[in-house]
Amino acid sequence: MRRHLVDVPVEFVHLAPLRLTCRVRVAAAPAEVYRALAEGTAGRRGPRLRRAADGSRATRAWAVEPARRGGGPVIRGTVLAARPGEHYAYRADEVRVPGVRALVADWRLTPGPTGGTRVVRTLALDVAPVLRVLAPLARPWLGATFRRSMRELDARLEESRE
């Protein structure tokens, strides 16, 4: 069953009752990392991103479809920030995950001092109280998943440059 979430602005990332932030450095340049985020190719495993044909640059709609039909967290959302090489953020508008009221994923990209990119991803959430209590247990898993996906992205970008 799909659940419609609260329509929140990009500033929600600073106001959310629950924020989960992960940081990692990758060898790829900020423009390359941004392009992978905006095109939906940042994650190799699981769902793929699909854009609606009628979306504008700042408010493109997208949907993540699960690998198995009928399962997984189908998400429809809206791009809230799109500054190439610097900032990419989206709001989830519809999910299959119970207890989620609002969600913004915010990606900040900065050039590293000796090349590469410093990637900071913040998931800003408003969730049911029981999920807020359980969230600290998910932090290590979310961090490990984020670091693994960024390593895989970095390797794929390196391969494409060769």
Side-chain angles (χ1 to χ4, degrees):
M1 180 159 107
R2 293 182 180 178
R3 290 162 174 68
H4 295 279
L5 304 187
V6 176
D7 183 357
V8 294
V10 71
E11 293 80 17
F12 182 72
V13 77
H14 303 293
L15 308 170
L18 178 61
R19 289 182 299 279
L20 304 169
T21 300
C22 299
R23 296 169 177 81
V24 68
R25 291 186 191 276
V26 295
E32 291 177 287
V33 176
Y34 176 87
R35 189 170 36 259
L37 292 171
E39 293 174 356
T41 58
R44 191 171 91 190
R45 292 181 219 219
R48 282 286 179 219
L49 185 114
R50 208 173 35 187
R51 269 184 281 249
D54 63 348
S56 70
R57 179 172 179 227
T59 59
R60 280 186 299 221
W62 51 267
V64 176
E65 298 297 339
R68 293 184 326 269
R69 195 147 178 78
V74 172
I75 299 173
R76 295 190 185 284
T78 304
V79 174
L80 301 174
R83 285 197 315 271
E86 296 176 22
H87 185 206
Y88 187 76
Y90 57 85
R91 171 188 67 232
D93 297 323
E94 187 178 284
V95 300
R96 282 192 182 174
V97 180
V100 177
R101 296 181 188 134
L103 182 150
V104 169
D106 185 86
W107 300 75
R108 304 289 176 143
L109 311 172
T110 54
T114 59
T117 305
R118 180 175 181 247
V119 181
V120 179
R121 184 203 62 193
T122 300
L123 294 178
L125 300 144
D126 183 10
V127 295
V130 68
L131 293 178
R132 204 170 300 148
V133 170
L134 295 174
L137 300 174
R139 283 181 197 272
W141 177 80
L142 287 170
T145 301
F146 172 67
R147 286 187 295 279
R148 183 179 61 241
S149 70
M150 289 293 99
R151 279 193 307 270
E152 290 173 358
L153 171 65
D154 209 22
R156 281 195 321 278
L157 292 172
E158 179 66 30
E159 286 173 11
S160 70
R161 278 187 244 118
E162 294 175 353

